Amino acid sequence: MPIKIPDGLPARRTLEAEGVTVMNETDAIRQDIRPLRIGLLNLMPDKIRTETQFARLIGATPLQVELTLVRITDHVSRHTAADHMATFYRPWSDVKTEKFDGFIVTGAPVELLPFDSITYWDELTDIFDWTRTHVHRCLTICWAAQAAVHHFHGMPKHTLPQKAFGVFRHRVLVPTSPYLRGFSDRFPTPVSRRTSMLSADIPAGRGLSVLAEGEETGLCLVDDPENRTLHMFDHLEYETATLAAEYTRDVAAGKTIAIPKNYFPDDDPSRPPENRWRSHAHLLFANWIAEIYRTTPFDVATIGQDATIGQDATVRSD
């Protein structure tokens, strides 16, 4: 089934051109199932590209999904038009009384700064705490994953000697995880970060489980059942040209940046890269949404209550 997003959102045109089924509101209300409510807290500077990346993956799943775009309440985006933000995004202060089946928090280009020096750190930690009572399943990405495990579990981040940049192979450690159904034993993932979290820093007795890890780049996927959260420290959601755009941008700005590893054919930036992670990106998001659908209660008001955690449920109104 399709994803339901606002008619005028730029992502709609992109997804329709790619063959992703996008539903309008009139058609959505005719179906006899409750749409899954998924929120996206978009912390990336390029809001439109990021919202398209996630909408593409969410919209490919066989369930009706209603996507709500969320922003930090008092943070003003410098890279996205104000009218786009006003039209399509809701501040967290407006949605914090609502319940969501799923909630995604993206990364942000602030990884070298101490967590508590981020201007919106207090609100972000409030959001993390809010997901425990108002969200059935949460997914954090890259810096947001680092921020979440630091907030919930006190894990430190470590600055890398050089940026981890490219497409790296990761090994599945828990093949029985519902999030990894259909995954190959090893899978490629785009990585773009200057800091890392270490498995050695995972505190004992907190129930954290490392699902996938890379020999070169460390933690990739960590399950956090206590907080009903999947932490992804890398970027399976990236489009084919995303790393190329980052590389070109930094070169044009005169920054010292290495060619992304295992990305351009023969390490030649003049040649178009090939996407070798798309299928696993779709698998991960399909599995995450399937797990939400399997366990989330039909009564939205009960989302986040301990009694609903881990129980099979349905979002169909029979």
Side-chain angles (χ1 to χ4, degrees), residues 44 78 93 134 145-146 185 187 196 259 265 306 315:
M44 291 295 285
R78 295 183 292 109
S93 59
H134 288 71
Q146 296 183 356
D185 293 340
F187 61 96
S196 183
I259 294 173
D306 289 344
V315 293

Side-chain angles (χ1 to χ4, degrees), residues 179-257:
Y179 299 119
L180 298 179
R181 289 191 192 98
F183 266 61
S184 304
D185 293 340
R186 294 179 183 270
F187 61 96
T189 307
V191 179
S192 179
R193 49 182 166 81
R194 299 181 182 276
T195 57
S196 183
M197 310 295 272
L198 304 180
S199 56
D201 292 328
I202 294 177
R206 304 299 288 269
L208 294 172
S209 175
V210 180
L211 303 184
E213 191 169 18
E215 294 179 0
E216 294 182 76
T217 55
L219 293 176
C220 175
L221 288 167
V222 172
D223 189 14
D224 185 357
E226 177 184 332
N227 297 296
R228 300 190 300 278
T229 299
L230 178 64
H231 305 291
M232 180 170 70
F233 297 89
D234 301 317
H235 288 287
L236 272 173
E237 83 282 1
Y238 269 7
E239 297 167 329
T240 304
T242 302
L243 291 177
E246 292 184 14
Y247 174 73
T248 301
R249 176 200 64 199
D250 287 351
V251 169
K255 296 182 180 180
T256 301
I257 182 70

Side-chain angles (χ1 to χ4, degrees), residues 3-23 40 42 46-59 67 69 84 88-89 239:
I3 184 173
K4 182 164 77 74
I5 56 179
D7 289 344
L9 191 71
R12 171 180 286 272
R13 295 189 298 274
T14 302
L15 299 184
E16 289 177 336
E18 294 175 0
V20 176
T21 305
V22 183
M23 175 176 281
L40 174 65
N42 191 350
D46 190 339
K47 305 292 187 204
I48 294 175
R49 168 173 283 185
T50 302
E51 67 204 24
T52 302
Q53 291 171 350
F54 285 101
R56 174 183 295 112
L57 294 168
I58 295 169
L67 182 64
L69 300 176
H84 181 88
F88 299 114
Y89 281 78
E239 297 167 329

Side-chain angles (χ1 to χ4, degrees), residues 33 36 63 288-296 313-316:
I33 61 173
L36 291 177
L63 297 169
W288 181 67
I289 291 176
E291 189 65 8
I292 292 173
Y293 182 75
R294 186 182 69 82
T295 60
T296 197
T314 180
V315 293
R316 180 173 293 278

